[in-house]
CSV table of all heavy atoms in Angstrom, one decimal:
chain,number,residue,atom,x,y,z
A,135,ASN,N,0.8,-1.2,0.0
A,135,ASN,CA,0.0,0.0,0.0
A,135,ASN,C,0.9,1.3,0.0
A,135,ASN,O,0.5,2.2,-0.7
A,135,ASN,CB,-0.9,0.0,1.2
A,135,ASN,CG,-2.0,-1.0,1.1
A,135,ASN,OD1,-2.4,-1.4,0.0
A,135,ASN,ND2,-2.6,-1.3,2.3
A,136,GLY,N,1.9,1.2,0.7
A,136,GLY,CA,2.8,2.4,0.8
A,136,GLY,C,3.4,2.8,-0.5
A,136,GLY,O,3.5,4.0,-0.9
A,137,PHE,N,3.8,1.8,-1.3
A,137,PHE,CA,4.4,2.1,-2.6
A,137,PHE,C,3.2,2.6,-3.5
A,137,PHE,O,3.4,3.5,-4.3
A,137,PHE,CB,5.1,0.9,-3.2
A,137,PHE,CG,5.6,1.2,-4.6
A,137,PHE,CD1,6.7,2.0,-4.7
A,137,PHE,CD2,5.0,0.7,-5.7
A,137,PHE,CE1,7.2,2.3,-6.0
A,137,PHE,CE2,5.5,1.0,-7.0
A,137,PHE,CZ,6.6,1.8,-7.1
A,138,GLY,N,2.1,2.0,-3.4
A,138,GLY,CA,0.9,2.4,-4.2
A,138,GLY,C,0.6,3.9,-3.9
A,138,GLY,O,0.3,4.7,-4.8
A,139,ILE,N,0.6,4.2,-2.6
A,139,ILE,CA,0.3,5.6,-2.2
A,139,ILE,C,1.4,6.5,-2.8
A,139,ILE,O,1.1,7.6,-3.3
A,139,ILE,CB,0.3,5.7,-0.7
A,139,ILE,CG1,-1.0,5.0,-0.1
A,139,ILE,CG2,0.3,7.2,-0.2
A,139,ILE,CD1,-0.9,4.8,1.4
A,140,SER,N,2.6,6.1,-2.8
A,140,SER,CA,3.7,6.9,-3.3
A,140,SER,C,3.6,7.1,-4.8
A,140,SER,O,3.8,8.2,-5.3
A,140,SER,CB,5.1,6.2,-3.1
A,140,SER,OG,5.3,6.0,-1.7
A,141,GLU,N,3.2,6.0,-5.5
A,141,GLU,CA,3.0,6.2,-7.0
A,141,GLU,C,1.9,7.2,-7.3
A,141,GLU,O,2.1,8.1,-8.2
A,141,GLU,CB,2.5,4.9,-7.6
A,141,GLU,CG,3.6,3.9,-7.8
A,141,GLU,CD,3.1,2.6,-8.5
A,141,GLU,OE1,2.2,2.0,-8.0
A,141,GLU,OE2,3.7,2.3,-9.6
A,142,VAL,N,0.8,7.2,-6.6
A,142,VAL,CA,-0.2,8.2,-6.9
A,142,VAL,C,0.2,9.6,-6.5
A,142,VAL,O,0.0,10.6,-7.2
A,142,VAL,CB,-1.5,7.8,-6.1
A,142,VAL,CG1,-2.6,8.9,-6.2
A,142,VAL,CG2,-2.1,6.5,-6.7
A,143,CYS,N,0.8,9.7,-5.3
A,143,CYS,CA,1.3,11.0,-4.8
A,143,CYS,C,2.4,11.6,-5.7
A,143,CYS,O,2.5,12.8,-5.8
A,143,CYS,CB,1.7,10.9,-3.4
A,143,CYS,SG,0.3,10.6,-2.3
A,144,CYS,N,3.1,10.8,-6.4
A,144,CYS,CA,4.2,11.2,-7.2
A,144,CYS,C,3.6,12.1,-8.4
A,144,CYS,O,4.3,12.9,-8.9
A,144,CYS,CB,5.0,10.1,-7.8
A,144,CYS,SG,6.7,10.4,-8.1
A,145,GLU,N,2.4,11.8,-8.7
A,145,GLU,CA,1.8,12.6,-9.8
A,145,GLU,C,1.5,14.0,-9.4
A,145,GLU,O,1.3,14.9,-10.2
A,145,GLU,CB,0.4,11.9,-10.2
A,145,GLU,CG,0.6,10.6,-10.9
A,145,GLU,CD,-0.7,9.9,-11.2
A,145,GLU,OE1,-1.7,10.7,-11.5
A,145,GLU,OE2,-0.8,8.7,-11.2
A,146,TYR,N,1.3,14.3,-8.1
A,146,TYR,CA,0.8,15.6,-7.6
A,146,TYR,C,1.9,16.4,-6.8
A,146,TYR,O,1.9,17.6,-6.9
A,146,TYR,CB,-0.4,15.4,-6.7
A,146,TYR,CG,-1.5,14.7,-7.4
A,146,TYR,CD1,-1.8,13.3,-7.3
A,146,TYR,CD2,-2.3,15.4,-8.3
A,146,TYR,CE1,-2.8,12.7,-8.0
A,146,TYR,CE2,-3.4,14.8,-9.0
A,146,TYR,CZ,-3.6,13.5,-8.8
A,146,TYR,OH,-4.6,12.9,-9.5
A,147,PHE,N,2.7,15.7,-6.0
A,147,PHE,CA,3.7,16.3,-5.2
A,147,PHE,C,5.0,16.5,-5.9
A,147,PHE,O,5.4,15.6,-6.6
A,147,PHE,CB,3.9,15.6,-3.9
A,147,PHE,CG,2.7,15.6,-2.9
A,147,PHE,CD1,1.6,14.8,-3.1
A,147,PHE,CD2,2.7,16.5,-1.9
A,147,PHE,CE1,0.5,14.8,-2.2
A,147,PHE,CE2,1.6,16.6,-1.0
A,147,PHE,CZ,0.5,15.7,-1.2
A,148,ARG,N,5.7,17.5,-5.6
A,148,ARG,CA,7.1,17.8,-6.2
A,148,ARG,C,8.1,17.0,-5.4
A,148,ARG,O,9.0,16.4,-6.0
A,148,ARG,CB,7.4,19.3,-6.1
A,148,ARG,CG,8.8,19.6,-6.5
A,148,ARG,CD,8.9,19.9,-8.0
A,148,ARG,NE,10.2,20.4,-8.3
A,148,ARG,CZ,10.9,19.7,-9.3
A,148,ARG,NH1,10.4,18.7,-9.9
A,148,ARG,NH2,12.1,20.2,-9.5
A,149,ASN,N,8.0,16.9,-4.1
A,149,ASN,CA,9.0,16.2,-3.3
A,149,ASN,C,8.4,15.1,-2.5
A,149,ASN,O,7.4,15.3,-1.8
A,149,ASN,CB,9.6,17.2,-2.3
A,149,ASN,CG,10.2,18.5,-3.0
A,149,ASN,OD1,11.0,18.4,-3.9
A,149,ASN,ND2,9.7,19.6,-2.5
A,150,LEU,N,9.0,13.9,-2.6
A,150,LEU,CA,8.6,12.8,-1.8
A,150,LEU,C,9.7,12.3,-0.9
A,150,LEU,O,10.8,12.3,-1.3
A,150,LEU,CB,8.2,11.6,-2.7
A,150,LEU,CG,6.8,11.7,-3.4
A,150,LEU,CD1,6.9,12.6,-4.6
A,150,LEU,CD2,6.3,10.3,-3.8
A,151,ILE,N,9.2,12.0,0.3
A,151,ILE,CA,10.2,11.4,1.3
A,151,ILE,C,9.6,10.0,1.6
A,151,ILE,O,8.5,9.9,2.2
A,151,ILE,CB,10.2,12.2,2.6
A,151,ILE,CG1,10.6,13.7,2.3
A,151,ILE,CG2,11.2,11.6,3.6
A,151,ILE,CD1,10.4,14.6,3.5
A,152,LEU,N,10.3,9.0,1.2
A,152,LEU,CA,9.9,7.6,1.4
A,152,LEU,C,10.7,7.0,2.6
A,152,LEU,O,11.9,7.1,2.7
A,152,LEU,CB,10.2,6.8,0.2
A,152,LEU,CG,9.7,7.3,-1.2
A,152,LEU,CD1,10.1,6.4,-2.3
A,152,LEU,CD2,8.3,7.6,-1.2
A,153,VAL,N,9.9,6.5,3.6
A,153,VAL,CA,10.5,5.9,4.8
A,153,VAL,C,10.0,4.5,4.9
A,153,VAL,O,8.9,4.1,4.7
A,153,VAL,CB,10.0,6.7,6.0
A,153,VAL,CG1,10.5,6.1,7.3
A,153,VAL,CG2,10.3,8.2,5.9
A,154,ASP,N,11.0,3.6,5.2
A,154,ASP,CA,10.7,2.2,5.4
A,154,ASP,C,11.9,1.5,6.1
A,154,ASP,O,13.0,2.1,6.1
A,154,ASP,CB,10.5,1.5,4.1
A,154,ASP,CG,9.6,0.3,4.2
A,154,ASP,OD1,10.1,-0.7,4.7
A,154,ASP,OD2,8.5,0.3,3.7
A,155,ILE,N,11.7,0.4,6.7
A,155,ILE,CA,12.7,-0.4,7.3
A,155,ILE,C,13.5,-1.2,6.2
A,155,ILE,O,14.7,-1.5,6.4
A,155,ILE,CB,12.2,-1.4,8.4
A,155,ILE,CG1,13.3,-2.0,9.2
A,155,ILE,CG2,11.3,-2.4,7.7
A,155,ILE,CD1,12.8,-2.8,10.4
A,156,ASP,N,12.9,-1.4,5.1
A,156,ASP,CA,13.5,-2.2,4.0
A,156,ASP,C,14.4,-1.3,3.1
A,156,ASP,O,13.9,-0.7,2.1
A,156,ASP,CB,12.4,-2.8,3.2
A,156,ASP,CG,12.8,-3.7,2.0
A,156,ASP,OD1,14.0,-3.8,1.8
A,156,ASP,OD2,11.9,-4.3,1.4
A,157,LYS,N,15.7,-1.3,3.3
A,157,LYS,CA,16.6,-0.4,2.6
A,157,LYS,C,16.6,-0.8,1.1
A,157,LYS,O,16.6,0.1,0.2
A,157,LYS,CB,18.0,-0.5,3.2
A,157,LYS,CG,19.0,0.5,2.6
A,157,LYS,CD,20.3,0.4,3.3
A,157,LYS,CE,21.2,1.5,2.9
A,157,LYS,NZ,22.4,1.6,3.8
A,158,ASP,N,16.7,-2.0,0.7
A,158,ASP,CA,16.7,-2.5,-0.6
A,158,ASP,C,15.3,-2.1,-1.3
A,158,ASP,O,15.3,-1.7,-2.5
A,158,ASP,CB,17.0,-4.0,-0.7
A,158,ASP,CG,17.2,-4.4,-2.2
A,158,ASP,OD1,18.0,-3.8,-2.9
A,158,ASP,OD2,16.6,-5.4,-2.6
A,159,GLY,N,14.2,-2.3,-0.6
A,159,GLY,CA,12.9,-2.0,-1.1
A,159,GLY,C,12.8,-0.5,-1.4
A,159,GLY,O,12.2,-0.1,-2.4
A,160,LEU,N,13.4,0.3,-0.5
A,160,LEU,CA,13.4,1.8,-0.7
A,160,LEU,C,14.1,2.2,-2.0
A,160,LEU,O,13.7,3.0,-2.8
A,160,LEU,CB,14.0,2.5,0.5
A,160,LEU,CG,13.1,2.7,1.7
A,160,LEU,CD1,14.0,3.3,2.8
A,160,LEU,CD2,11.9,3.6,1.4
A,161,ARG,N,15.3,1.5,-2.2
A,161,ARG,CA,16.1,1.8,-3.4
A,161,ARG,C,15.3,1.5,-4.6
A,161,ARG,O,15.2,2.2,-5.6
A,161,ARG,CB,17.4,1.0,-3.3
A,161,ARG,CG,18.3,1.3,-4.5
A,161,ARG,CD,19.5,0.4,-4.5
A,161,ARG,NE,19.2,-1.1,-4.4
A,161,ARG,CZ,18.8,-1.8,-5.4
A,161,ARG,NH1,18.5,-1.3,-6.6
A,161,ARG,NH2,18.5,-3.1,-5.2
A,162,LYS,N,14.6,0.3,-4.6
A,162,LYS,CA,13.8,-0.1,-5.8
A,162,LYS,C,12.7,0.8,-6.0
A,162,LYS,O,12.3,1.2,-7.1
A,162,LYS,CB,13.4,-1.6,-5.6
A,162,LYS,CG,14.5,-2.6,-5.7
A,162,LYS,CD,14.0,-4.0,-5.4
A,162,LYS,CE,15.1,-5.0,-5.4
A,162,LYS,NZ,14.7,-6.3,-5.0
A,163,ALA,N,12.0,1.2,-4.9
A,163,ALA,CA,10.8,2.1,-5.0
A,163,ALA,C,11.3,3.4,-5.6
A,163,ALA,O,10.6,4.0,-6.5
A,163,ALA,CB,10.2,2.3,-3.7
A,164,LYS,N,12.4,4.0,-5.1
A,164,LYS,CA,12.9,5.2,-5.6
A,164,LYS,C,13.2,5.1,-7.1
A,164,LYS,O,12.9,6.0,-7.9
A,164,LYS,CB,14.1,5.7,-4.9
A,164,LYS,CG,14.7,7.0,-5.4
A,164,LYS,CD,15.8,7.5,-4.5
A,164,LYS,CE,16.4,8.8,-5.1
A,164,LYS,NZ,17.4,9.4,-4.2
A,165,ASN,N,13.9,4.0,-7.5
A,165,ASN,CA,14.2,3.9,-8.9
A,165,ASN,C,13.0,3.8,-9.8
A,165,ASN,O,13.0,4.4,-10.9
A,165,ASN,CB,15.1,2.6,-9.1
A,165,ASN,CG,16.5,2.8,-8.6
A,165,ASN,OD1,17.0,3.9,-8.4
A,165,ASN,ND2,17.2,1.7,-8.3
A,166,LYS,N,12.0,3.0,-9.4
A,166,LYS,CA,10.8,2.9,-10.2
A,166,LYS,C,10.1,4.3,-10.3
A,166,LYS,O,9.6,4.7,-11.4
A,166,LYS,CB,9.8,1.9,-9.5
A,166,LYS,CG,10.1,0.5,-9.7
A,166,LYS,CD,9.1,-0.4,-9.0
A,166,LYS,CE,9.5,-1.8,-9.0
A,166,LYS,NZ,8.6,-2.7,-8.2
A,167,LEU,N,10.0,5.0,-9.2
A,167,LEU,CA,9.3,6.3,-9.2
A,167,LEU,C,10.1,7.3,-10.1
A,167,LEU,O,9.5,8.1,-10.8
A,167,LEU,CB,9.0,6.8,-7.8
A,167,LEU,CG,8.1,6.0,-7.0
A,167,LEU,CD1,8.1,6.5,-5.5
A,167,LEU,CD2,6.7,6.0,-7.6
A,168,SER,N,11.4,7.3,-9.9
A,168,SER,CA,12.3,8.2,-10.6
A,168,SER,C,12.2,8.0,-12.1
A,168,SER,O,12.3,9.0,-12.9
A,168,SER,CB,13.7,8.2,-10.1
A,168,SER,OG,13.8,8.5,-8.8
A,169,MET,N,12.1,6.8,-12.6
A,169,MET,CA,12.1,6.5,-14.0
A,169,MET,C,10.8,7.1,-14.6
A,169,MET,O,10.9,7.6,-15.7
A,169,MET,CB,12.2,5.0,-14.3
A,169,MET,CG,13.6,4.4,-14.1
A,169,MET,SD,13.8,2.8,-14.7
A,169,MET,CE,12.5,1.9,-14.2
A,170,LYS,N,9.7,7.0,-13.9
A,170,LYS,CA,8.5,7.5,-14.4
A,170,LYS,C,8.3,9.0,-14.2
A,170,LYS,O,7.6,9.7,-14.9
A,170,LYS,CB,7.3,6.8,-13.8
A,170,LYS,CG,7.1,5.4,-14.1
A,170,LYS,CD,5.9,4.8,-13.4
A,170,LYS,CE,5.7,3.4,-13.6
A,170,LYS,NZ,4.5,2.8,-12.9
A,171,ASN,N,9.0,9.6,-13.2
A,171,ASN,CA,8.9,11.0,-12.8
A,171,ASN,C,10.2,11.6,-12.6
A,171,ASN,O,10.6,11.9,-11.5
A,171,ASN,CB,8.1,11.0,-11.6
A,171,ASN,CG,6.7,10.3,-11.7
A,171,ASN,OD1,5.8,10.9,-12.2
A,171,ASN,ND2,6.7,9.1,-11.1
A,172,PRO,N,11.0,11.8,-13.7
A,172,PRO,CA,12.4,12.3,-13.5
A,172,PRO,C,12.5,13.7,-12.9
A,172,PRO,O,13.5,14.1,-12.4
A,172,PRO,CB,13.0,12.3,-14.9
A,172,PRO,CG,11.8,12.2,-15.8
A,172,PRO,CD,10.7,11.6,-15.1
A,173,ASP,N,11.4,14.5,-13.0
A,173,ASP,CA,11.4,15.8,-12.5
A,173,ASP,C,11.1,15.9,-11.0
A,173,ASP,O,11.2,17.0,-10.4
A,173,ASP,CB,10.4,16.7,-13.2
A,173,ASP,CG,9.0,16.2,-13.1
A,173,ASP,OD1,8.8,14.9,-13.0
A,173,ASP,OD2,8.0,17.0,-13.0
A,174,LYS,N,10.9,14.8,-10.3
A,174,LYS,CA,10.5,14.8,-8.9
A,174,LYS,C,11.8,14.6,-8.0
A,174,LYS,O,12.7,13.9,-8.4
A,174,LYS,CB,9.5,13.7,-8.6
A,174,LYS,CG,8.3,13.7,-9.4
A,174,LYS,CD,7.4,14.9,-9.1
A,174,LYS,CE,6.2,14.9,-10.0
A,174,LYS,NZ,5.1,15.7,-9.5
A,175,LYS,N,11.7,15.2,-6.9
A,175,LYS,CA,12.8,15.0,-5.9
A,175,LYS,C,12.3,13.9,-4.9
A,175,LYS,O,11.3,14.1,-4.3
A,175,LYS,CB,13.1,16.2,-5.1
A,175,LYS,CG,14.2,16.0,-4.0
A,175,LYS,CD,14.4,17.3,-3.2
A,175,LYS,CE,15.5,17.0,-2.2
A,175,LYS,NZ,15.4,17.8,-1.0
A,176,ILE,N,13.0,12.8,-4.9
A,176,ILE,CA,12.6,11.6,-4.1
A,176,ILE,C,13.7,11.3,-3.2
A,176,ILE,O,14.8,10.9,-3.6
A,176,ILE,CB,12.2,10.4,-5.0
A,176,ILE,CG1,11.1,10.8,-5.9
A,176,ILE,CG2,11.8,9.2,-4.1
A,176,ILE,CD1,10.8,9.8,-7.0
A,177,ASP,N,13.5,11.4,-1.9
A,177,ASP,CA,14.5,11.0,-0.9
A,177,ASP,C,14.0,9.8,-0.1
A,177,ASP,O,12.8,9.6,0.0
A,177,ASP,CB,14.7,12.2,0.2
A,177,ASP,CG,15.5,13.3,-0.4
A,177,ASP,OD1,16.3,13.1,-1.3
A,177,ASP,OD2,15.2,14.5,0.0
A,178,THR,N,14.9,9.0,0.3
A,178,THR,CA,14.6,7.8,1.1
A,178,THR,C,15.3,7.8,2.4
A,178,THR,O,16.5,8.3,2.5
A,178,THR,CB,14.9,6.5,0.3
A,178,THR,OG1,16.3,6.5,0.1
A,178,THR,CG2,14.2,6.4,-1.0
């Protein structure tokens, strides 16, 4: 659900801060979101 929320919010917000215990999962989530939304600032 958290990644799904992030995907939708990426359409509207300029800056996303993704927080999770799963470091590898965060890296993958950031990569997926960044590929679709290169103009967004995404921090993990």
Side-chain angles (χ1 to χ4, degrees):
N135 289 340
F137 180 72
I139 292 166
S140 300
E141 282 185 301
V142 170
C143 290
C144 210
E145 294 178 31
Y146 300 99
F147 289 83
R148 174 89 175 123
N149 305 306
L150 282 80
I151 303 166
L152 310 180
V153 177
D154 204 292
I155 192 172
D156 181 359
K157 190 174 188 173
D158 189 50
L160 280 172
R161 183 187 52 75
K162 290 175 183 175
K164 180 178 180 174
N165 288 342
K166 285 180 190 176
L167 294 172
S168 295
M169 284 194 314
K170 291 181 184 176
N171 306 280
D173 60 324
K174 305 294 178 162
K175 180 182 179 208
I176 303 170
D177 287 330
T178 61

